[in-house]
Amino acid sequence: MNESKKKFCVGLGVSGGIAAYKAIEVLRLLQKSDCEVQVAMTKHATEFIQPLTFRALTDSYVLVDDYEPNNPDPIAHINFSQNIDLLLIVPATANILAKLANGIADDFLTSTYLASTAPVMVAPAMNVTMWEHPTTQRNIETLKKDGVHFVEPVSGELACKTVGTGKLEDVENITSQALKLLNQRENNTSIQDLTGESFLITVGGTREAIDPVRFISNHSSGKMGFALAKAAKHRGAEVTVVKGKTSVEPPEDIKVVNGISAEEMCQGVMKELPNATVFVGAAAVADYRPKEIVTSKIKKEKKDSLTLELEKTPDILSTVSKNRHEGLMVIGFAAETNNVIEYAKSKMQKKNLDMVVANDITKKGAGFNTDTNIATIITQENQLDLPLMSKRDLANKILNEVIKLRN
Ligand code: CTP
């Protein structure tokens, strides 16, 4: 799922009932209300409506089954569930309510329900007898106790031509209740515990020019650095990022300084540093650059091989650490492929850091260009091993540790 400038990200679950087509209208209304929507369908839902319809409207692959041969993401239910602000199921059949109430996770949507920490809202629709059945009512009670929000079905003529409760609530109403919940939650979770802090964060990968056409760079997307910037801003901090090359856009309302090469990034950082109270080196800075930048395009004529002489770039994190002023907290990342904790701890000592966030980039779901990460947060006193989680959640865990260090 892409980091997006939309306000919210909604996981829209569609289960197999005649009202499945109304999920399309809910999707459109949510999209119009500044939501990115990702769709998960049950197999029965695909009997009523084609995944292609949702794929065309969301521009994303619609998952029905994690085990599908075409599934582009083998741990899709984890990635999907970690990136949504709300799981909204429209329509919710008696069968899906029964599965959710009992923890059955035998398809993508039900696995997502179990794997998600986001709030869940369901809009049931079914035949009146099924709705009133004691089993369904018992499942509804269980789900309500588990914190699931209900948009209750209304009374009217049902698809089976009987009259009674079981008709899906109006799509406008479902959408407005979903948006109300999202906004309420955003206001409640907006703890301003970083007010007074001023974050300076390096983000993305640097580019080191070889000639006017070529450069040396790396796979950094900027997602982790921007997730930190967004979370810190949300929690009341002032945020400035010095950004290299990124594949995603910076969040809104933060100051952005461009620093494409290590040298430019270093200069940008040192200029902004006096105002910072927390420095985070989240960028993948090239360690070496061509010793000379050739001013005109290097031609390959008469050359069977080409040797570039490289020299070290400035180590921005070490430079910041050496020039730290009173009260500045310095945090680094350590992206490793082996001896992760050992290397991370030695970086912490060598660069004199208050905290290092270590990750093994060979692990599935960790490292460059993913929306998730698996990290260990190391401070002088503590080591916090974290499971696979979204970069947004990891950003908040890092910020929690910042607060602890301040105290
Ligand atoms: N870093 C930096 N400037 C550099 C190199 C790294 O600011 N020229 C910062 C990164 O932003 C990160 C930390 O240092 O926070 C560790 O980066 P990493 O590439 O893992 O380690 P290096 O110090 O470059 O050491 P090595 O490449 O040998 O692992």
Side-chain angles (χ1 to χ4, degrees), residues 100-103 113 139-149:
L100 301 185
N102 292 286
Y113 171 75
N139 290 332
I140 291 168
E141 282 317 303
T142 304
L143 289 170
K144 282 185 177 169
K145 272 192 207 126
D146 291 343
V148 172
H149 302 264

Side-chain angles (χ1 to χ4, degrees), residues 87 89 92-105 107 109-114 120-122 139 142-143 146 148 150:
L87 177 61
I89 304 180
T93 58
N95 184 43
I96 197 122
L97 295 179
K99 284 188 184 180
L100 301 185
N102 292 286
I104 295 170
D107 63 9
L109 180 55
T110 48
S111 310
T112 295
Y113 171 75
L114 279 191
V120 180
M121 182 174 270
V122 296
N139 290 332
T142 304
L143 289 170
D146 291 343
V148 172
F150 275 76

Side-chain angles (χ1 to χ4, degrees), residues 12 19 21-33 35 86 88 90 121 123 151-152 154 167-183:
L12 180 63
Y21 72 95
K22 293 192 179 169
I24 300 170
E25 286 176 59
V26 172
L27 181 144
R28 299 300 276 169
L29 289 171
L30 286 169
Q31 285 176 327
K32 280 187 199 150
S33 306
C35 294
L86 172 71
L88 174 65
V90 184
M121 182 174 270
V151 183
E152 302 279 340
V154 291
K167 199 169 145 57
L168 190 78
E169 174 61 287
D170 283 346
V171 288
E172 287 81 8
N173 249 332
I174 296 171
T175 312
S176 73
Q177 292 203 39
L179 291 169
K180 196 170 150 201
L181 181 64
L182 282 163
N183 282 310

Side-chain angles (χ1 to χ4, degrees), residues 202-204 206 262 265-266 279-288 312-320 331-336 343 347 350-351 353 356-357:
T202 60
V203 181
T206 63
M265 188 177 271
C266 194
F279 175 78
V280 188
V285 186
D287 290 325
Y288 294 92
K312 265 201 171 161
T313 56
D315 188 316
I316 304 170
L317 192 57
S318 298
T319 312
V320 167
I331 302 172
F333 274 77
E336 307 289 349
Y343 281 138
K347 268 174 203 172
K350 258 193 262 165
K351 300 192 186 194
L353 307 177
V356 67
V357 183

